[in-house]
Amino acid sequence: MQQHAHCREWPSYSNRWGFLAGDIAAAAVSASLVAPSVTIIDRALVEKVSTNRSIISALRTHGTSAILNPKALLSSRPFCIIWSLYAATYAVANTSDTLANEFHKAAVGSITFVSTMVVNVPMGVWKDVRFAQIFGANAAMGSSKGVIVQPKVPKSATVTFLLRDAITIFGSFTMAPQLSSAIPDSLSTSAHVKAAITQFTVPIFSQLGATPMHLLGLDLFNRQASLPISNRVAQVGRDLPSATLVRCARIIPAFGFGCVANMETRNFFQKLLQTS
């Protein structure tokens, strides 16, 4: 997430801490904006894979519930998990960019990408494991029996989730900024607008590769028995069209709107500090 702040001046030591505080505040605001919709979408995807519930039905039910009783959603464990994931991701991207611009400008992009991936990928896996435990087939079975089932997570599922997140992070934080220069001037001559366009579109296309990994990871978690590869491929293929569409839609708030909101909020705080 390159915030294009490398030309910024550092007026004083106290303002340096002010910039970092603004980075964290921007991350918290952006995470709060995207977490409700991402929580609902991720729950619907897990329920689709684990119980074959219709994604549209799940989105309608959970979306209506969130509108009628937002307090229940905002105070729920799944919401807190999602909020923590994106708040941490945006905060690390922002602060690493701020510090790299001051101390090592030549490697800003690499430092920001690596720092963000180190935080986002393991937290993303943690989020998926928790959602599978809360909403997956084993959880539904345990709930019907009046017990809580917390199955172990297979290493194969963890590796698959890691591959999925690597694809998403690469598309969102590396490819999106790099491809902004490819936007023709006939569409826009503004570098800011070009960056916004690629930040909304490139992460969406990354889901064409990330979605199969996501579905395979959930299948490996829900069906931990030894099964033929053909069986798992058929299972992934069954849900792939609808899940791809939903994950493409999901990525818009998470890494499209969320990243743009984070960038704009961060720039607002920086300008506020620079004029104070």
Side-chain angles (χ1 to χ4, degrees):
M1 186 188 301
Q2 298 177 356
Q3 305 294 336
H4 307 288
H6 54 275
C7 58
R8 158 176 88 223
E9 297 295 332
W10 293 89
S12 67
Y13 180 81
S14 61
N15 265 19
R16 179 189 307 165
W17 288 105
F19 281 129
L20 293 173
D23 289 344
I24 296 172
V29 170
S30 303
S32 299
L33 292 174
V34 306
S37 59
V38 175
T39 301
I40 293 169
I41 293 172
D42 279 4
R43 177 176 181 177
L45 284 170
V46 172
E47 291 178 344
K48 169 62 176 175
V49 174
S50 59
T51 65
N52 201 27
R53 181 180 183 180
S54 166
I55 291 180
I56 299 300
S57 172
L59 290 174
R60 185 187 303 116
T61 299
H62 303 318
T64 302
S65 176
I67 293 172
L68 296 177
N69 191 4
K71 183 179 179 180
L73 172 66
L74 299 179
S75 61
S76 67
R77 183 184 302 175
F79 173 85
C80 292
I81 292 171
I82 295 292
W83 187 91
S84 298
L85 168 63
Y86 288 101
T89 298
Y90 298 146
V92 170
N94 292 347
T95 55
S96 62
D97 179 82
T98 292
L99 295 173
N101 269 298
E102 185 182 10
F103 298 113
H104 206 310
K105 290 185 179 181
V108 170
S110 299
I111 292 172
T112 302
F113 170 71
V114 172
S115 300
T116 304
M117 189 163 179
V118 166
V119 172
N120 178 269
V121 171
M123 287 195 69
V125 173
W126 165 73
K127 181 269 296 183
D128 284 312
V129 169
R130 296 299 295 132
F131 266 60
Q133 290 173 335
I134 295 170
F135 302 119
N138 291 306
M141 185 183 304
S143 176
S144 65
K145 295 180 179 179
V147 297
I148 299 176
V149 179
Q150 297 287 355
K152 292 183 178 180
V153 183
K155 290 182 179 179
S156 56
T158 300
V159 171
T160 306
F161 286 141
L162 286 171
L163 289 173
R164 177 212 58 194
D165 285 342
I167 294 171
T168 300
I169 293 298
F170 182 74
S172 301
F173 294 102
T174 301
M175 291 299 295
Q178 290 180 354
L179 291 177
S180 62
S181 60
I183 301 295
D185 290 341
S186 58
L187 187 61
S188 176
T189 57
S190 168
H192 186 81
V193 173
K194 290 181 178 181
I197 291 173
T198 55
Q199 193 60 68
F200 271 106
T201 56
V202 175
I204 293 175
F205 287 107
S206 74
Q207 296 313 293
L208 297 178
T211 302
M213 295 294 100
H214 178 74
L215 294 175
L216 179 59
L218 289 174
D219 186 54
L220 289 167
F221 178 85
N222 287 316
R223 300 193 300 165
Q224 298 190 15
S226 179
L227 297 171
I229 296 297
S230 59
N231 185 286
R232 295 201 183 275
V233 170
Q235 178 76 6
V236 170
R238 185 198 71 181
D239 299 326
L240 188 58
S242 59
T244 300
L245 289 174
V246 173
R247 280 190 61 84
C248 285
R250 172 199 183 277
I251 214 69
I252 295 174
F255 289 105
F257 173 74
C259 285
V260 172
N262 178 57
M263 179 176 64
E264 296 297 337
T265 307
R266 183 181 179 225
N267 288 339
F268 168 78
F269 284 125
Q270 290 174 355
K271 291 177 181 177
L272 196 65
L273 285 165
Q274 287 173 335
T275 56
S276 62

